[in-house]
Amino acid sequence: MKKLIALLLVGALLGGGFAYVRSSEPGWWVRLWYPLRYEAIVRGHARHYRLDPALLAAVIYQESKFHAHARSSSGAIGLMQLLPDTAKGIAIHTGGSRFRVSDLDNPEINVRYGAWYLRHLLDKYDDERTALAAYNAGQENVDRWRANGEGIAFSETRHYVKRVEHLQTHFRRGYHDCLCCGA
């Protein structure tokens, strides 16, 4: 009976400890659940395109969970889930002349193009939430919603924006030293 009580107490303490850690989400917990890959690439392109590195990491995590060869049913490719036509346009804007779809499997190129595109959207809309909505739903949809005086019309896109903002907070908290301070 004493062993059973002891086991129940240990279980309750562990459960309470787990619940506390989950609710407070210290940096080590965030790093455990949200691993950051391609850190140097994320930092470098965030700096070059004047982006919050935690935002860039959050978009990558939401889009591909840092899987470089991710593919979507809509044809988006790589870490930042870029459509080939979008990437081809970005390549032209950034001085590239020989774009190949296989380039999107290269983490450095994919994040460079995605970071450029995210900066373009932030400059165009001058609002992070709207830029994220456009990244997810496309500029045409966002432009139409804005012209009609509407908010984000797609529930999937509203969820996407909230999720990226949540992830941005996680990456900022969990990786502050390496993302935000250039270590």
Side-chain angles (χ1 to χ4, degrees), residues 89-104:
I90 293 167
I92 291 167
H93 282 317
T94 59
S97 59
R98 294 192 281 171
F99 172 76
R100 295 183 314 267
V101 172
S102 62
D103 291 343
L104 294 176

Side-chain angles (χ1 to χ4, degrees), residues 4-182:
L4 179 61
I5 292 172
L7 285 174
L8 290 173
L9 283 172
V10 168
L13 287 172
L14 287 174
F18 180 80
Y20 173 76
V21 167
R22 181 71 180 119
S23 67
S24 65
E25 295 182 324
W28 64 268
W29 177 264
V30 171
R31 290 186 299 275
L32 179 68
W33 287 100
Y34 301 99
L36 173 64
R37 295 187 179 94
Y38 308 106
E39 180 185 319
I41 292 171
V42 170
R43 263 195 351 253
H45 289 303
R47 184 174 32 255
H48 182 79
Y49 290 107
R50 302 175 338 272
L51 296 169
D52 174 0
L55 174 63
L56 186 57
V59 170
I60 295 169
Y61 189 88
Q62 180 61 27
E63 291 290 342
S64 69
K65 303 231 181 338
F66 285 97
H67 294 126
H69 303 291
R71 299 287 191 273
S72 76
S73 60
S74 65
I77 299 172
L79 292 170
M80 296 197 70
Q81 289 293 281
L82 298 167
L83 292 169
D85 286 343
T86 302
K88 185 176 182 179
I90 293 167
I92 291 167
H93 282 317
T94 59
S97 59
R98 294 192 281 171
F99 172 76
R100 295 183 314 267
V101 172
S102 62
D103 291 343
L104 294 176
D105 284 315
N106 180 317
E108 196 284 324
I109 293 171
N110 193 288
V111 174
R112 178 170 21 117
Y113 288 178
W116 181 92
Y117 188 52
L118 189 55
R119 169 47 52 201
H120 166 75
L121 295 172
L122 287 163
D123 290 345
K124 177 178 179 175
Y125 296 110
D126 199 30
D127 176 71
E128 189 174 284
R129 298 189 91 241
T130 307
L132 290 171
Y135 196 95
N136 178 257
Q139 294 178 66
E140 291 176 5
N141 286 319
V142 169
D143 292 344
R144 185 174 57 253
W145 300 336
R146 292 179 75 197
N148 293 335
E150 301 172 13
I152 300 171
F154 299 159
S155 63
E156 175 189 329
T157 300
R158 284 191 303 273
H159 175 74
Y160 175 89
V161 170
K162 286 180 185 175
R163 179 75 175 138
V164 170
E165 289 174 331
H166 183 72
L167 287 165
Q168 181 182 15
T169 301
H170 282 315
F171 280 105
R172 190 175 287 136
R173 182 182 317 130
Y175 296 95
H176 181 268
D177 291 341
C178 62
L179 282 180
C180 300
C181 300

